[in-house]
Amino acid sequence: MMAAAVTRRSNALRVDVPDGDAVAVSVVADSPVAKRGLGAKEDVWVAVDEGGMSGDGNRPLLFRTMKVKGSILHPYRFLMLMRLVAVVIFFKWRMEHKNHDGVWLWTVSMTADVWFGFSWLLNQLPKLNPIKRVPDLAALADRHDDATLPGIDVFVTTVDPVDEPVLYTVNTILSILAADYPVDNYACYLSDDGGTLVHYEAMVQVASFAALWVPFCRKHCVEPRSPESYFGIKTHSYAGGMAGEFMRDRRRVRREYEEFKVRIDSLSTTIRQRSDAYNSKNKGGVSATWMADGTQWPGTWVEQAENHRRGQHAGIVQVLLDHPSCEPQLGSPASTDNPFDFSNVDTRLPMLVYISREKRPGYDNQKKAGAMNVMLRVSALLSNAPFVINFDCDHYINNSQALRAPMCFMLDPRDGQNTAFVQFPQRFDDVDPTDRYANHNRVFFDGTMLALNGLQGPTYLGTGTMFRRVSLYGIEPPRYRAENTKLVRKAGEFGYSTSFVNSVPDAAIQDRSITPVLVDEGLRKDLTTLMTCAYEDGSSWGRDAGWVYNIATEDVVTGFRIHRQGWRSMYCSMEPAAFRGTAPINLTERLYQVLRWSGGSLEVFFSHSNALIASRRLHLLQRIAYLNMSTYPIVTVFILSYNFFPVMWLFSEQLYIQRPFGTYMAYLVAIIAMVHLIGMFEVRWSGITLLDWFRNEQFYMIGATGVYPTAVLYMLLKLVTGKGIYFRLTSKQTEACSNDKFADLYTVRWVPLLIPTTAVIIVNVAAVGAAIGKAATWGFFTDEARHALLGMVFNMGILVLLYPFALGIMGKWGKRPIILFIVLVMAISAVGLLYVMLHAPYTGEWSQVAVSLGKASLTGPSGSG
C-alpha cells in the first residue's frame, strides 16, 4: 500500500528517547522495516492508472487512487451474488413448506427473515467498489508553498468540564496550536457551551504555556503534539540532529507541563476561593463568580443566579491570541533567565478565540449543532477561512501534518472544487487491550467508509472533518452552479447581519488566506448579534444552512444534506493517525453512546432528510447507504424476538419455527456461513484484524438485544407524542479516582438499558440446559434430542456473542473470566437437572438419566468454549 502521507523529513534521524538519559540514533527512512511497513498491503490494493497530469494543464495530481485487486474483488462480489441467490432459494423453500402447526410463529419468523435479507442487501450493495485515496504531501508542497496554502478555521466544542475533563480540552488546543501549518493561515476557536469560567481561564493558561510548547515542538519536530500523549509515551521518536539539546529541553518542558497541569487541575478551587474573597467584601449581594481581573464573569456562575446559569447567560467572544504577523518572529537565544534556545525557531502562535453563545429561557439551543453554527458565523467575521475543521474536545492532532493532508483533496485539479469535506477515521487512546466493547470500531471506519469512498464519499462523522465553508452554507457545488451566480439567494437566508452576508462571497475563494481584522467596538457589536438566540429566527440556519437541527445525530444528517446537493466527500487515512481521542470503556456509557447514535439514525429516517426523497444528485448506492444508516436499528427488533424464542421451547415439546427442522437449520447454517465468508474478504481488503471483526459481531449482538430496540421504542414514542428524544452526554473516561487505567471497564452502573440483554442471556442459558435435559431424557439418538441439540447450537452462539456483556455486568469479577465459565456450567447443569426431574418418564430411571445428563452438561459447554 502506498504511504498514507509523505512527510518532508523522510531522511531525518530517529532518536528513541526512553525516560532515562540513554539515546539511540538510527537512520530509518530507507530501512527494510520501513519498506515492509509501506508495502504491507501491496498484495491487496493496486494503483489506478491516472496518468501523471490532470486534464487542464501541467498541474500535478495531489492524491493517488487505489483499488482492490481483481483476485480479491471479483470473488468477493461473486460471493455476494451467491449469497443473494441462496437467500431467495431459502425464502422459496420456506413458502413451499409453511408450518401449519404454529402459523403465527412461522409468519413472524418469515417476516423477520425477509427483513434480515433486505437489511443485509442495504448494507452490502454500497460495498461493491471500495476505493482508497492517498494524499501526496510532497506534491502539495511542490505546488503550494506555505505562503499560498489557504486559510483554515479550527473548531473545538465542549460543554461540561466534569463530563469532559478540562485536561482533554487543553491538550487538544495545544496540539492544534502546534500543528505543522502556516501559523498565519489558521485560527483556533473553542466553543464553551456551558459558559464556565473554568474553560475560559484554562484557555488563558493554554495561551501562556503554548509560548513554550509550540516552539519546542517546532524546534525538535516532536510527535504527537499533545503534551499529555507525548509525555505519556515511554519511547519517543526524534527527527532532528540535536539529541543532547533535545534531552535537556524535553526535561525542562516536562517540568513546566507538570506545573501547568497543577494549575489546570486547581482552577475550580482557585476560582471558588477568589469568588468567595470578592463576595465577602460585598455582604448582602449575590454570590457572583469573579474573573482574575476583578470583574464579574458574564457566563455561568459557580452558584448559579438569574442571567448567570447554564441555560441563561450573555454571549462571550474573547480573542486570547491575536492573529500573528505574516513575517516569522524568531525567539531569543538561551540565557541565564531563559534556558531554551529558540533563536532559529518561529515563535508565532495562531489566533485563539474563546466563544460562549448567548442562552435564554424559551429558546431551543440545539446542543452541539447550535454551537457549531454560532462558531461558523463568528469565525466568518474574525478570519473567514475558506476551510473549517471541527474536533470534539477530547480529539487531538496526533500527526502534525494532519491539516495539510485534506488540502490534497480540496485543491486537487481534477475535481477538488466539488469536494465538500474530507473525513478522517477516528482512532482512540486508552481502550482496553482486548477492545471488549468494540470502541475502535475498525469495521466501520476502515471497511464501510472505504466502501463509500468508491461512491459519493463517506458520511460526516462529527469530528476530524475538514469542510469547504460554502458547503456548510448550503451553497451548491460549482458543477451545478452557473458562473456569476449570487451565493446569497434571498434576503434573510443567513439572518440579517450585513457584515456576515457580505463575508459569504469571500468564503467561496478557496485560495484565500486569513486577513487580520481589528476587533473594534463595531465588530464586537456584530459578533454579539450573531450569537444571540433570536438571530436565527426566520432564517435557513439549522435546515438549509449550517449544521442541521432537531436530529440527535446532527453529523450524519448534515453530511446527508451536503451530499444530496451534489457535493462529494473524501476519506483520508494517515500513518501515524491524523487524530486520536478517547472512548467510553464503561459498558453503560458505551451503550448510552450507541443509543444516541441509533436513535438519531431513526430520527433521520422520519424527517425531511429521508434518503428516499432526496434529489437525483444523490448517487443511487449512496442513497442506499444512507437508507441503511437510518433504518438499521429496526431489524434488531426481530433479532431480539429470535433471542427470546427459546422461552417457548422450554414449555413445549413440539413447537418448531419451521418443518422439516433439520433442513431449516442446514439452510440457516449455510446462509450464515456465507455472511461470515464475505466478512473474511472484507477483513482482507480493509486491513482490519480478525479480533476487530469478531468484536464488531459481538457488540452488534449486544446492541441488538438492548440498545437498538430501545431506540426503536423511543422513536415510536416521539411519533406518537410529538416530543423529542433526550440523549445524555457521554461521560469521558477519567482516572482521577483510581490508579487502574482501565478501572471504568470493571465498574457496573445498573440502568434499565441493561435489563433486556441480561434477560436474553438468562433465557439462552436456560435453553441450553433444557436442550441437554431433553437429550438426556429422551435419549441422545432420538429425533427429539437431535432437534434440541441443533437448537442448542443457536443458543450457544448467542451466548458467545454476548460474552463481553456478561463480563461487563460482573464488574470486578469480570477480571477472571473463569468465574463466568463456572457460573454458566453450574446454571446449565441446574436447568438440565430440573428439566429431567420434571420430565423423566419413570421415577425409577432417575439415577441413570442423571448420570447421562451430568456427562452431557460437562461436555456441552466446554466443547463450545
Side-chain angles (χ1 to χ4, degrees):
M1 181 185 70
M2 295 179 65
V6 181
T7 68
R8 292 173 293 171
R9 300 189 293 270
S10 58
N11 294 319
L13 296 178
R14 173 171 174 171
V15 181
D16 293 332
V17 186
D19 288 337
D21 294 331
V23 178
V25 183
S26 58
V27 179
V28 298
D30 298 318
S31 67
V33 175
K35 290 180 179 178
R36 284 198 300 272
L38 294 178
K41 301 286 177 62
E42 287 181 354
D43 58 334
V44 177
W45 295 91
V46 294
V48 175
D49 185 12
E50 300 171 295
M53 299 293 174
S54 67
D56 58 342
N58 294 324
R59 292 187 293 172
L61 305 180
L62 299 184
F63 67 86
R64 295 288 181 254
T65 304
M66 312 285 287
K67 64 179 181 180
V68 179
K69 290 183 67 172
S71 58
I72 296 175
L73 184 62
H74 298 324
Y76 172 65
R77 291 173 173 173
F78 178 74
L79 193 58
M80 283 193 281
L81 177 61
M82 292 302 297
R83 208 266 178 178
L84 179 60
V85 172
V87 168
V88 172
I89 293 174
F90 174 58
F91 289 160
K92 181 176 180 295
W93 177 82
R94 290 205 67 183
M95 293 297 295
E96 293 174 348
H97 296 79
K98 191 173 182 178
N99 189 0
H100 297 284
D101 295 338
V103 176
W104 67 271
L105 181 59
W106 181 90
T107 303
V108 170
S109 69
M110 187 66 190
T111 304
D113 286 349
V114 170
W115 191 266
F116 290 153
F118 175 69
S119 180
W120 172 80
L121 198 60
L122 290 182
N123 180 64
Q124 211 63 45
L125 283 177
K127 297 180 180 179
L128 287 171
N129 187 38
I131 290 292
K132 182 179 294 185
R133 294 185 173 90
V134 184
D136 189 341
L137 296 184
L140 179 70
D142 291 340
R143 180 180 166 188
H144 294 274
D145 57 23
D146 284 357
T148 61
L149 283 172
I152 302 174
D153 286 334
V154 185
F155 296 166
V156 181
T157 53
T158 188
V159 179
D160 192 317
V162 176
D163 284 337
E164 299 172 324
V166 180
L167 189 61
Y168 290 160
T169 304
V170 299
N171 272 273
T172 295
I173 300 297
L174 286 168
S175 72
I176 293 168
L177 298 180
D180 182 8
Y181 200 80
V183 67
D184 57 330
N185 257 358
Y186 75 105
C188 179
Y189 295 81
L190 173 71
S191 170
D192 173 18
D193 222 27
T196 60
L197 183 55
V198 170
H199 279 130
Y200 174 79
E201 296 206 350
M203 291 304 101
V204 174
Q205 293 289 339
V206 164
S208 175
F209 181 69
L212 171 63
W213 174 250
V214 174
F216 168 71
C217 292
R218 291 173 183 163
K219 177 180 178 180
H220 297 293
C221 304
V222 302
E223 300 282 354
R225 298 191 177 181
S226 161
E228 186 70 16
S229 298
Y230 175 71
F231 291 121
I233 300 173
K234 293 183 178 179
T235 302
H236 299 275
S237 297
Y238 171 61
M242 301 175 290
E245 186 175 357
F246 165 67
M247 291 296 296
R248 291 191 297 272
D249 286 352
R250 178 180 174 275
R251 282 194 293 267
R252 292 171 183 140
V253 172
R254 182 164 191 168
R255 283 197 298 269
E256 293 289 337
Y257 176 64
E258 293 300 325
E259 294 176 6
F260 168 77
K261 285 173 63 177
V262 171
R263 294 194 296 272
I264 294 296
D265 291 339
S266 63
L267 277 177
S268 295
T269 303
T270 301
I271 292 170
R272 182 175 287 277
Q273 291 175 347
R274 180 204 305 148
S275 299
D276 289 343
Y278 277 110
N279 291 328
S280 65
K281 299 177 183 178
N282 301 323
K283 295 181 179 180
V286 294
S287 297
T289 298
W290 294 80
M291 302 173 66
D293 61 2
T295 59
Q296 290 186 3
W297 173 242
T300 303
W301 288 353
V302 176
E303 296 185 18
Q304 299 185 25
E306 190 73 14
N307 292 321
H308 293 284
R309 61 181 77 252
R310 185 176 289 270
Q312 182 185 17
H313 60 77
I316 307 167
V317 176
Q318 185 64 46
V319 179
L320 298 170
L321 290 173
D322 291 324
H323 190 279
S325 63
C326 297
E327 297 298 325
Q329 295 178 357
L330 301 182
S332 58
S335 63
T336 304
D337 298 330
N338 177 29
F340 298 97
D341 180 9
F342 293 147
S343 57
N344 293 315
V345 181
D346 186 359
T347 59
R348 292 176 299 162
L349 298 175
M351 185 179 184
L352 175 62
V353 182
Y354 171 91
I355 299 174
S356 184
R357 58 182 168 142
E358 181 192 59
K359 290 189 175 180
R360 297 296 175 205
Y363 284 91
D364 188 346
N365 296 302
Q366 298 293 345
K367 304 182 179 66
K368 179 181 176 180
M372 297 295 291
N373 285 338
V374 169
M375 267 197 297
L376 193 62
R377 294 194 295 268
V378 168
S379 64
L381 298 193
L382 291 176
S383 49
N384 202 25
F387 299 100
V388 299
I389 185 169
N390 81 286
F391 298 101
D392 289 342
C393 65
D394 60 327
H395 274 71
Y396 64 89
I397 294 181
N398 182 65
N399 185 330
S400 63
Q401 301 273 303
L403 298 185
R404 295 177 181 267
M407 289 301 170
C408 295
F409 302 101
M410 295 294 195
L411 304 179
D412 188 79
R414 285 164 291 188
D415 200 30
Q417 62 180 351
N418 290 302
T419 299
F421 63 90
V422 177
Q423 178 66 59
F424 288 84
Q426 296 177 19
R427 305 298 189 212
F428 302 103
D429 294 328
D430 298 332
V431 174
D432 55 295
T434 62
D435 192 15
R436 179 188 289 180
Y437 304 128
N439 278 290
H440 287 305
N441 209 1
R442 298 295 289 263
V443 172
F444 177 76
F445 291 124
D446 296 344
T448 304
M449 290 297 102
L450 274 182
L452 293 179
N453 210 28
L455 304 175
Q456 207 167 331
T459 185
Y460 169 39
L461 301 177
T463 183
T465 314
M466 178 173 285
F467 287 95
R468 189 177 299 274
R469 182 182 283 266
V470 291
S471 71
L472 288 169
Y473 289 163
I475 296 171
E476 295 179 324
R479 66 160 64 118
Y480 296 113
R481 194 170 70 226
E483 250 183 276
N484 301 320
T485 300
K486 291 183 65 174
L487 299 183
V488 181
R489 296 175 290 264
K490 59 184 179 180
E493 179 182 12
F494 298 118
Y496 290 94
S497 168
T498 303
S499 300
F500 176 79
V501 172
N502 291 340
S503 74
V504 174
D506 289 339
I509 305 172
Q510 75 168 11
D511 294 327
R512 183 179 181 276
S513 59
I514 294 177
T515 304
V517 295
L518 176 63
V519 184
D520 55 15
E521 194 60 33
L523 180 56
R524 286 189 179 279
K525 185 177 180 180
D526 285 339
L527 293 174
T528 301
T529 300
L530 291 173
M531 290 191 298
T532 58
C533 297
Y535 178 80
E536 297 179 351
D537 291 351
S539 71
S540 297
W541 290 102
R543 183 180 174 101
D544 298 320
W547 275 258
V548 177
Y549 293 162
N550 299 316
I551 301 290
T553 49
E554 76 289 326
D555 47 2
V556 173
V557 70
T558 300
F560 170 77
R561 190 201 67 212
I562 292 172
H563 276 140
R564 76 180 181 187
Q565 287 183 299
W567 291 96
R568 64 169 299 107
S569 59
M570 297 287 186
Y571 181 78
C572 179
S573 181
M574 301 176 67
E575 291 296 339
F579 316 112
R580 298 190 71 87
T582 59
I585 62 172
N586 177 264
L587 175 60
T588 303
E589 294 298 331
R590 176 73 166 120
L591 293 179
Y592 272 129
Q593 181 187 58
V594 176
L595 177 61
R596 181 174 64 84
W597 293 344
S598 54
S601 296
L602 289 171
E603 286 182 316
V604 172
F605 182 77
F606 292 100
S607 72
H608 65 276
S609 297
N610 190 310
L612 294 175
I613 59 176
S615 69
R616 294 182 180 180
R617 295 179 185 177
L618 190 67
H619 190 285
L620 175 61
L621 292 183
Q622 190 83 17
R623 188 188 305 267
I624 291 174
Y626 273 114
L627 185 61
N628 178 56
M629 285 183 217
S630 59
T631 60
Y632 72 90
I634 298 175
V635 72
T636 59
V637 174
F638 297 110
I639 294 178
L640 183 62
S641 301
Y642 263 120
N643 288 334
F644 277 124
F645 276 170
V647 171
M648 293 175 289
W649 302 344
L650 299 178
F651 300 103
S652 173
E653 302 298 332
Q654 302 296 328
L655 190 61
Y656 291 97
I657 294 176
Q658 180 72 55
R659 292 176 183 270
F661 188 69
T663 307
Y664 172 69
M665 288 298 297
Y667 268 116
L668 284 183
V669 169
I671 290 173
I672 293 174
M674 293 176 77
V675 169
H676 293 328
L677 188 57
I678 291 171
M680 293 303 99
F681 276 94
E682 293 173 359
V683 166
R684 177 74 169 146
W685 58 253
S686 64
I688 64 176
T689 66
L690 285 175
L691 179 61
D692 292 328
W693 173 82
F694 185 59
R695 286 298 190 222
N696 182 77
E697 295 292 307
Q698 287 182 312
F699 197 77
Y700 178 78
M701 184 57 69
I702 293 172
T705 53
V707 175
Y708 300 148
T710 302
V712 173
L713 178 61
Y714 278 4
M715 193 65 237
L716 289 175
L717 291 175
K718 181 178 179 179
L719 292 174
V720 172
T721 65
K723 295 182 179 180
I725 305 171
Y726 171 75
F727 296 103
R728 63 188 293 274
L729 179 70
T730 303
S731 295
K732 309 300 181 184
Q733 178 188 355
T734 176
E735 303 167 31
C737 301
S738 175
N739 293 324
D740 185 355
K741 185 178 181 181
F742 304 117
D744 270 356
L745 188 67
Y746 306 109
T747 302
V748 183
R749 298 169 189 164
W750 281 99
V751 293
L753 201 59
L754 302 178
I755 295 175
T757 309
T758 304
V760 168
I761 292 177
I762 294 172
V763 166
N764 281 273
V765 166
V768 172
I772 296 176
K774 284 184 179 181
T777 301
W778 296 97
F780 285 98
F781 300 103
T782 62
D783 288 341
E784 292 82 356
R786 282 196 297 271
H787 291 167
L789 295 177
L790 281 174
M792 188 185 74
V793 173
F794 169 82
N795 305 128
M796 292 298 296
I798 297 301
L799 293 177
V800 169
L801 292 176
L802 295 181
Y803 169 77
F805 180 91
L807 283 181
I809 61 176
M810 288 177 64
K812 294 182 179 180
W813 293 102
K815 294 181 179 181
R816 299 176 177 84
I818 187 64
I819 296 177
L820 175 61
F821 176 79
I822 293 173
V823 170
L824 286 177
V825 170
M826 292 176 62
I828 290 171
S829 300
V831 173
L833 288 171
L834 180 62
Y835 185 93
V836 170
M837 291 175 61
L838 296 175
H839 296 84
Y842 301 104
T843 305
E845 298 177 2
W846 159 251
S847 58
Q848 295 179 0
V849 173
V851 170
S852 60
L853 170 63
K855 294 180 180 179
S857 64
L858 290 175
T859 57
S862 61
S864 68

